[in-house]
Amino acid sequence: RRYPTVELRAETFNGPTHVPVPSDSAFLKALLFELRLVDDHVFVEHRDTCTRINHSSVYSVSTDAGHLWPVLAFQKSGLIYACLPLVEEPLEPRPPLLTVCGLSQGLALLLGIMDYISPSRKNEAEMNSKIGQLRTLLIQACPLGTPLNTNIRSLNSSFEDIQEMPVDKDQPAWRSSTYKGKPQVNVCITEKVKCMQYDQRDVVDTWQVYGAVNCKCDIEGSAPKVTLTLNLPTNGPPLQDIVVHHCVTSVDPAMLMSCSAEPLDDSVYSGPYKFPFIPPSDSFNLCYYTSQVPVPPILGCYQLVEEGSQIKITVNLKLHESIKNSFEYCEARIPFFNRGPIAQLEYKVSYGQLDLSQEKSLLVWVIGQKFPKSLEVSLTGTVSFGTAGKEHPTDYVCTGNTAYVKLYFRIPDFTLTGCYVDQHSVQLFVPGKPKITASRELISSDYYLWNSKAPAPVAYKT
């Protein structure tokens, strides 16, 4: 979709240095070249030189009229999502990315489109139908080039239910439709934990927790008021880096001041965290946060040693005693890069079961829904490989003995910070007794155990 109004504004800002957007086919050809999806075997200095390492999804795309910048583009499940945000200042010299507000708007819109299309990725007919509806949805989401609603899934693909003007002057723009029925509020706290464990003296293990509070409020009225409170246990680590949804009407400034970049002290705001808001009609994330928890949920050690034509592996895992021992799933995946298919495997597991993937390049250790009473499990094994083919995984980082185990788990009704929603503290200023449902979960995200017998890629050393 092209917006002549936006292109005219870009020309006004940049004057003689303005680079016009080429035809769709020419732009696509240039973008594929920049993303190295065509002619990737040819060395092109401006694109492939080692001095140019792209740390973001922002590209400068070369066209016949000059370089188009900033083109925001990324790949997901075989599709490319791209947009060209407007920069409301001169492009020479190039402004820092953080000052270009159009980039965050464009990214939010692309992520909304991806969220709308991705679930249909495996069904081609359904995906084509959704892509066909995108034009109608974009008229609502981004009518004149400025994103108004980036939650594409919440939009209606027909125009029948769209209100031209809110009936009630107090109705905020983000409440696009009205609800009729018994009031109910669903809240889900999702915490994700990222982790890098090295089991080496000179390298510090790192872990991060970041959470999101998702809400769905089915409440009658044009501007219903809701207050939701997040609580922490007595010794729970405080929430930091809190970012709130624009529908939140007021918030304690001390809540927003706590930053993970600064050391924790006694003056840090530790709750309760109150959020008064007028909810949108559809599901939305009320707030995001991070927290500095003292230990990761699962401590582990991975050792891989090459002995002739064989590899010996040892994996030890220990669930911390403070963690709820009840998983929806828990498994450790052990990939073998730059080698052939696994030809021979001898192993011993103290708990769970070990499976070999179909392509014979990945061991999947299914621990299941509980750790044993000792909270410790171990795996030892000897692996030998056949001749490598094109279908087996390669990795430029994981060469030789540099390798990892990646953990996947989900613990329902648990958060690492202890953060929870007290259902009795949810206040609705509407008639009738509302139904309040609160849930929480902890999910692993990029949870790695690196081989302690080889140098692993690290962010820093002590």
Side-chain angles (χ1 to χ4, degrees):
R1 184 168 174 81
R2 301 172 76 107
Y3 294 94
T5 48
V6 180
E7 293 186 46
L8 186 64
R9 289 175 68 196
E11 195 174 346
T12 306
F13 278 118
N14 296 296
T17 61
H18 175 68
V19 177
V21 182
S23 66
D24 290 358
S25 58
F27 175 77
L28 177 61
K29 186 179 177 183
L31 180 62
L32 291 175
F33 181 79
E34 184 63 30
L35 295 176
R36 302 184 84 249
L37 295 173
V38 292
D39 297 337
D40 63 332
H41 59 284
V42 180
F43 178 79
V44 181
E45 187 166 355
H46 85 270
R47 181 189 71 180
D48 303 321
T49 176
C50 289
T51 57
R52 180 179 177 265
I53 299 174
N54 201 32
H55 293 292
S56 68
S57 299
V58 179
Y59 299 89
S60 175
V61 173
S62 179
T63 68
D64 292 340
H67 287 276
L68 270 183
W69 183 90
V71 176
L72 183 60
F74 59 88
Q75 297 177 68
K76 183 74 175 178
S77 304
L79 296 174
I80 301 169
Y81 299 83
C83 70
L84 178 59
L86 175 68
V87 181
E88 300 188 78
E89 55 185 302
L91 290 176
E92 294 296 338
R94 278 187 187 170
L97 293 182
L98 285 174
T99 65
V100 182
C101 62
L103 279 172
S104 55
Q105 292 178 333
L107 181 61
L109 184 63
L110 291 182
L111 291 175
I113 294 171
M114 184 186 79
D115 187 47
Y116 168 70
I117 289 176
S118 284
S120 312
R121 186 66 193 97
K122 292 178 182 175
N123 185 329
E124 195 169 339
E126 188 182 330
M127 190 177 77
N128 288 337
S129 168
K130 283 195 166 185
I131 290 174
Q133 292 171 353
L134 256 184
R135 185 170 182 81
T136 304
L137 296 172
L138 278 173
I139 290 171
Q140 303 170 54
C142 192
L144 294 172
T146 300
L148 301 180
N149 185 354
T150 56
N151 186 359
I152 307 295
R153 276 201 298 181
S154 73
L155 301 174
N156 198 311
S157 57
S158 73
F159 287 109
E160 294 169 11
D161 296 337
I162 301 173
Q163 299 178 9
E164 289 187 15
M165 285 291 288
V167 179
D168 191 325
K169 62 181 177 60
D170 294 326
Q171 181 173 334
W174 57 85
R175 279 188 69 79
S176 56
S177 59
T178 53
Y179 169 81
K180 296 287 181 188
K182 186 180 177 182
Q184 50 187 5
V185 175
N186 288 299
V187 186
C188 179
I189 303 174
T190 299
E191 284 189 358
K192 293 188 177 180
V193 55
K194 286 178 97 164
C195 193
M196 292 278 175
Q197 294 183 40
Y198 303 99
D199 191 35
Q200 293 184 10
R201 281 187 178 182
D202 63 334
V203 185
V204 178
D205 293 346
T206 63
W207 56 92
Q208 298 167 296
V209 177
Y210 46 103
V213 181
N214 185 270
C215 297
K216 176 77 167 72
C217 303
D218 294 324
I219 309 169
E220 290 187 0
S222 56
K225 293 180 180 177
V226 181
T227 299
L228 186 146
T229 305
L230 296 182
N231 295 287
L232 292 175
T234 309
N235 298 321
L239 307 184
Q240 297 176 290
D241 306 321
I242 297 174
V243 178
V244 298
H245 191 275
H246 58 72
C247 72
V248 175
T249 51
S250 64
V251 73
D252 189 327
M255 192 192 300
L256 304 178
M257 295 299 286
S258 181
C259 173
S260 59
E262 298 167 5
L264 286 170
D265 59 40
D266 295 337
S267 64
V268 169
Y269 190 87
S270 56
Y273 303 86
K274 278 196 170 188
F275 299 92
F277 59 95
I278 298 172
S281 309
D282 292 281
S283 173
F284 70 103
N285 284 331
L286 176 68
C287 70
Y288 300 91
Y289 62 84
T290 68
S291 186
Q292 298 180 44
V293 295
V295 288
I298 298 175
L299 294 162
C301 165
Y302 177 39
Q303 294 185 346
L304 179 151
V305 179
E306 216 156 340
E307 292 184 356
S309 60
Q310 291 186 326
I311 278 180
K312 286 196 170 182
I313 60 167
T314 305
V315 185
N316 294 311
L317 302 176
K318 184 179 190 304
L319 181 69
H320 194 269
E321 57 268 15
S322 65
I323 306 302
K324 181 183 178 185
N325 189 7
S326 177
F327 293 78
E328 182 180 307
Y329 57 85
C330 181
E331 64 183 44
R333 296 186 186 180
I334 311 168
F336 296 97
F337 299 105
N338 313 310
R339 305 175 193 272
I342 294 173
Q344 197 172 355
L345 170 65
E346 294 176 10
Y347 69 90
K348 182 183 177 184
V349 289
S350 68
Y351 195 78
Q353 66 182 61
L354 192 68
D355 299 325
L356 179 60
S357 68
Q358 197 172 354
E359 68 278 4
K360 298 188 175 180
S361 60
L362 175 73
L363 295 178
V364 181
W365 181 15
V366 180
I367 295 158
Q369 296 180 319
K370 251 185 174 12
F371 273 68
K373 279 188 176 180
S374 64
L375 302 181
E376 295 185 43
V377 293
S378 64
L379 158 68
T380 55
T382 306
V383 189
S384 56
F385 300 88
T387 308
K390 284 185 179 179
E391 69 278 10
H392 290 282
T394 58
D395 193 293
Y396 297 114
V397 174
C398 299
T399 55
N401 286 357
T402 298
Y404 61 75
V405 173
K406 190 172 182 183
L407 298 187
Y408 295 82
F409 58 82
R410 177 181 180 269
I411 306 177
D413 194 29
F414 180 80
T415 50
L416 205 51
T417 59
C419 183
Y420 67 97
V421 172
D422 181 358
Q423 297 181 22
H424 301 292
S425 70
V426 179
Q427 296 177 318
L428 271 73
F429 301 95
V430 291
K433 189 178 180 182
K435 181 185 176 185
I436 313 291
T437 308
S439 59
R440 52 187 188 158
E441 60 183 357
L442 176 68
I443 301 174
S444 64
S445 168
D446 296 335
Y447 204 106
Y448 291 96
L449 311 176
W450 288 92
N451 177 22
S452 61
K453 298 291 186 183
V458 294
Y460 59 86
K461 292 189 177 186
T462 53

